[in-house]
């Protein structure tokens, strides 16, 4: 039998024990993996062991896929009406909300983001996403095509069947919900792999699936490594579609494996190196706060609490749409740099469960080492380290907020995704120049422009080669707005009606109403 993990939490809003099963969730039950493998889970705030979870292989993926296939044919898919799927998704949202304190605590423990952030932003976003797609479940419509009187022609949007999902470690719970909500709303079953670094909230989420009333096998969660479980999902001949969020390099491998197997379609939300552009007519104090919010801060100051229902997550720089390339007009550059550095130095790092903490640790030793490698590269290539660039504290994977100036377009810290609290700041003089600089990247996930001149703001926003353009704001999101990238930032979209397109097949039906030969 699979084992359990019990941990005591003591926060301002939640005191108690959390117990979760650490096995694989297949066909509505927690089970042991075929080959009995395990993975150690570590607390990034202190680098200490938390627990072990079961590690699956391709054998477990095949078992999960067969359970999902059986559930699709017998208990789900076209056998369940849209309004019934909606009721179950709403019930799941209610359960997530009822367990928000515990889910937030597990997320903070496992990922390192602050408890305040995980509880009040991430978990809240999950409930909204579930309810948003519950609203779509009975609105998956085709079209009637005008023909002649003796023929009827129409389209149907049918579920694909079994969907495979692979999610990252930076937003474990949010990304889980972003994948399962549209998949279930459209009538699919799903086999999902959480990150091996951050599996705890997904494991706690699994019993809520049963409690909400979903039939066994509709949702299956298989822990494991990317090169085993992730690869098996991409290669599986029964899975009809794969959705992945993560690095561009891994996205290439998934796309290749999908093509070599059953040519299954893929949706990929990949890396980014987003530009943030500040013109000379901005309020510099506000510009500094937005710039910091884009790449350095883990959460928002209390004065922003009224807006947390529509602000995105910043995760101490570990976010794909981080505004890490900052372009500042030469007229305000010096003032901006001075205030930006001062603001960065004021951010409090520390225990994610401490209410006044703004920035937690990086997720793992590997991620810490990667970021520090980029910082060293910036120094070696001639960028000026304005502030930060060093370790914070004696334990855990903390990095002080880091700002580089005197950066050049060819530098590694400017061209590559760092995925940490590291900002590169560059000077520009003209609108045409900054547009060219902003688009000089292989990525195209997001970008932002700040100026009270709305004509210029929209002109620049429309020329950014990115899937999202923010105007006089940054990292905001809406459930109904799509999110995804241009160029090497991915294929397809998350959120909104656009996400539903990845989870259905369109069938054209031609009906003879009187044609005779």
């Amino acid at each position: 039998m699979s084992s359990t993990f019990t941990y005591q939490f003591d926060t301002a809003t939640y005191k108690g024990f959390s117990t979760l099963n650490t096995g694989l969730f297949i066909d509505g039950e927690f089970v042991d993996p075929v080959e009995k493998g395990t993975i150690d889970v570590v607390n990034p705030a202190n680098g200490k062991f938390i627990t072990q979870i079961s590690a699956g292989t391709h054998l477990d993926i095949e078992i999960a896929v067969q359970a999902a296939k059986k559930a699709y044919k017998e208990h789900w898919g076209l056998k369940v009406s849209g309004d019934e799927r909606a009721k179950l998704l709403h019930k799941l949202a209610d359960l997530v909300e009822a367990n928000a304190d515990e889910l937030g605590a597990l997320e903070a423990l496992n990922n390192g983001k602050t408890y305040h952030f995980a509880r009040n932003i991430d978990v809240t976003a999950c409930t909204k996403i579930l309810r948003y797609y519950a609203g779509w479940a009975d609105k998956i419509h085709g079209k009637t095509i005008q023909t002649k009187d003796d023929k009827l022609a129409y389209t149907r949007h049918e579920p694909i069947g079994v969907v495979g999902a692979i999610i990252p470690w930076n937003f474990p719970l949010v990304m889980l919900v972003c994948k399962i909500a549209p998949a279930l709303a459209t009538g699919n079953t799903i086999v999902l792999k959480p990150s091996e670094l951050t599996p705890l909230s997904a494991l706690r989420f699994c019993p809520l699936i049963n409690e909400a009333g979903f039939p066994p096998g509709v949702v299956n969660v298989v822990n494991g490594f990317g090169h085993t479980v992730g690869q098996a999902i991409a290669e599986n001949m029964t899975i009809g579609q794969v959705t992945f969020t993560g690095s561009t390099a891994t996205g290439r491998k998934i796309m290749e494996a999908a093509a070599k197997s059953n040519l299954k379609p893929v949706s990929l939300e990949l890396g980014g190196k987003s530009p943030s552009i500040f013109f000379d007519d901005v309020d510099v104090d506000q510009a500094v706060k937005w710039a910091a919010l884009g790449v350095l801060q883990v959460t928002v100051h209390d004065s922003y609490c009224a807006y947390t229902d529509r602000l995105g997550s910043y995760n101490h720089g570990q976010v794909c749409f981080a505004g890490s390339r900052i372009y500042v007009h030469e007229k305000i550059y010096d003032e901006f740099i001075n205030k930006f550095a001062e603001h960065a130095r004021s951010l409090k790092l520390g225990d994610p469960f401490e209410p006044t903490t703004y920035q937690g640790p990086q997720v793992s030793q590997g991620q810490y080492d990667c970021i520090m490698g980029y910082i060293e590269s910036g120094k070696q290539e001639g960028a000026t380290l304005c502030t930060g660039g060093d370790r914070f504290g004696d334990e855990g994977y903390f990095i002080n907020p880091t700002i580089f100036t005197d950066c050049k377009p060819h530098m590694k810290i400017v061209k590559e995704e760092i995925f940490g609290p590291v900002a590169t700041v560059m000077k520009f003089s003209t609108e045409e120049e900054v547009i060219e600089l902003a688009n000089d990247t292989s990525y195209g996930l997001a970008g932002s422009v700040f100026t009270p001149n709305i004509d210029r703001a929209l002109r620049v926003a429309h020329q950014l080669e990115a899937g999202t353009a923010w105007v006089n704001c940054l990292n905001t999101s809406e459930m109904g707005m799509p999110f995804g990238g241009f160029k090497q930032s991915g294929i397809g979209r998350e959120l909104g009606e656009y996400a539903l397109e990845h989870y259905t097949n369109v069938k054209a039906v031609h009906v003879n109403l009187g044609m005779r030969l």
Side-chain angles (χ1 to χ4, degrees):
M1 298 291 292
S2 55
S3 60
T4 59
F5 160 64
T6 301
Y7 192 86
Q8 184 176 11
F9 295 105
D10 188 353
T11 74
T13 59
Y14 178 56
K15 297 181 180 180
F17 290 89
S18 176
T19 300
L20 65 155
N21 198 299
T22 57
L24 312 181
F25 186 71
I26 298 176
D27 205 18
E29 296 180 342
F30 282 101
V31 299
D32 292 327
V34 173
E35 296 187 349
K36 311 301 181 185
T38 59
I39 298 173
D40 289 350
V41 180
V42 174
N43 181 348
N46 57 25
K48 296 179 180 179
F49 173 82
I50 298 176
T51 188
Q52 280 188 334
I53 62 163
S54 296
T57 65
H58 68 283
L59 300 174
D60 303 290
I61 287 296
E62 185 57 37
I63 295 170
V65 168
Q66 291 306 314
K69 181 180 178 181
K70 184 174 184 287
Y72 175 77
K73 289 186 174 181
E74 297 181 3
H75 308 295
W76 199 245
L78 298 175
K79 293 183 178 294
V80 178
S81 65
D83 64 329
E84 182 62 26
R85 296 196 299 270
K87 289 178 184 177
L88 293 173
L89 285 167
H90 276 301
K91 176 62 175 176
L92 186 56
D94 292 341
L95 290 169
V96 170
E97 192 168 58
N99 292 275
D101 291 341
E102 184 180 351
L103 288 166
L106 279 169
E107 200 83 329
L109 171 71
N110 197 182
N111 172 272
K113 64 182 66 186
T114 67
Y115 173 72
H116 165 81
F117 188 88
R119 166 62 180 85
N120 297 315
I121 297 181
D122 281 9
V123 179
T124 298
C126 289
T127 61
K128 290 187 175 184
I129 294 167
L130 287 166
R131 289 182 175 130
Y132 175 84
Y133 284 107
W136 272 109
D138 61 354
K139 301 173 184 65
I140 311 301
H141 298 157
K143 297 180 180 179
T144 300
I145 311 302
Q146 183 178 2
T147 60
K148 297 181 293 183
D149 289 342
D150 58 0
K151 182 180 181 183
L152 171 65
Y154 60 94
T155 61
R156 287 164 53 88
H157 289 228
E158 299 179 352
I160 289 170
V162 182
V163 169
I166 305 169
I167 62 173
W169 47 258
N170 57 340
F171 296 101
L173 198 59
V174 171
M175 293 313 307
L176 180 149
V177 171
C178 274
K179 304 301 185 185
I180 72 166
L184 299 182
T186 48
N188 299 282
T189 56
I190 191 165
V191 176
L192 181 141
K193 183 194 109 57
S195 168
E196 62 273 18
L197 295 176
T198 55
L200 299 186
S201 55
L203 291 170
R204 181 63 186 90
F205 188 87
C206 291
L208 304 183
I209 296 287
N210 287 344
E211 190 175 348
F214 286 91
V218 171
V219 177
N220 305 273
V221 176
V222 180
N223 307 312
F225 294 104
H227 65 274
T228 53
V229 171
Q231 185 77 10
I233 288 174
E235 293 177 343
N236 189 274
M237 296 294 289
T238 300
I239 290 175
Q241 189 257 356
V242 172
T243 174
F244 168 76
T245 297
S247 72
T248 298
T250 302
R252 292 180 190 276
K253 294 178 181 179
I254 289 171
M255 195 171 186
E256 181 180 8
K260 287 182 175 180
S261 55
N262 58 347
L263 204 62
K264 62 178 69 68
V266 298
S267 59
L268 306 172
E269 198 267 277
L270 306 176
K273 192 70 176 176
S274 301
S276 298
I277 302 169
F278 296 93
F279 283 94
D280 59 335
D281 50 1
V282 299
D283 180 319
V284 175
D285 291 331
Q286 280 293 304
V288 164
K289 291 179 181 179
W290 282 110
L293 200 62
V295 67
L296 298 181
Q297 289 181 239
V298 62
T299 186
V300 292
H301 190 274
D302 286 345
S303 63
Y304 288 111
C305 282
Y307 302 96
T308 53
D309 64 328
R310 61 185 178 87
L311 283 175
S313 305
Y314 325 107
N315 214 37
H316 24 291
Q318 297 174 147
V319 59
C320 53
F321 52 81
S324 56
R325 288 188 297 140
I326 301 172
Y327 297 96
V328 181
H329 194 276
E330 59 187 5
K331 290 184 179 179
I332 62 169
Y333 182 84
D334 290 341
E335 180 185 3
F336 178 94
I337 290 295
N338 290 334
K339 291 183 175 181
F340 191 34
E342 181 181 359
H343 184 84
R345 287 189 285 265
S346 74
L347 301 179
K348 181 182 176 182
L349 284 69
D351 180 2
F353 288 94
E354 168 59 43
T356 59
T357 295
Y358 272 76
Q359 181 177 316
Q362 310 311 129
V363 74
S364 67
Q365 182 70 57
Q367 186 62 18
Y368 172 91
D369 292 342
C370 179
I371 296 167
M372 294 304 292
Y374 275 108
I375 290 172
E376 184 60 31
S377 169
K379 297 176 184 177
Q380 293 296 323
E381 290 192 311
T384 299
L385 181 61
C386 178
T387 190
D390 55 349
R391 180 188 183 92
F392 171 84
D394 299 323
E395 61 179 9
Y397 313 127
F398 293 88
I399 297 176
N400 278 308
T402 301
I403 299 172
F404 278 104
T405 59
D406 301 315
C407 302
K408 305 299 180 185
H410 70 273
M411 292 179 176
K412 188 176 180 180
I413 57 172
V414 176
K415 298 188 72 68
E416 298 184 14
E417 184 178 39
I418 298 175
F419 227 62
V422 181
T424 59
V425 188
M426 290 152 282
K427 188 185 301 184
F428 74 92
S429 57
T430 68
E431 180 180 317
E432 292 74 21
E433 175 194 10
V434 77
I435 291 171
E436 184 174 351
L437 290 168
N439 291 332
D440 183 22
T441 175
S442 61
Y443 296 110
L445 193 56
S448 59
V449 54
F450 291 81
T451 173
N453 184 331
I454 194 63
D455 290 339
R456 178 166 61 187
L458 294 179
R459 186 167 61 243
V460 173
H462 293 172
Q463 292 184 75
L464 290 177
E465 296 170 355
T468 294
W470 287 294
V471 175
N472 293 326
C473 60
L474 198 151
N475 292 4
T476 66
S477 64
E478 302 288 345
M479 297 300 105
M481 286 289 283
F483 182 78
F486 292 4
K487 299 189 280 190
Q488 293 184 37
S489 286
I491 300 170
R493 295 294 180 269
E494 302 277 5
L495 297 178
E497 182 180 0
Y498 289 86
L500 297 170
E501 297 175 1
H502 304 300
Y503 297 97
T504 60
N505 286 318
V506 180
K507 178 181 289 182
V509 181
H510 301 260
V511 182
N512 182 355
L513 297 180
M515 292 187 294
R516 299 181 64 84
L517 296 178

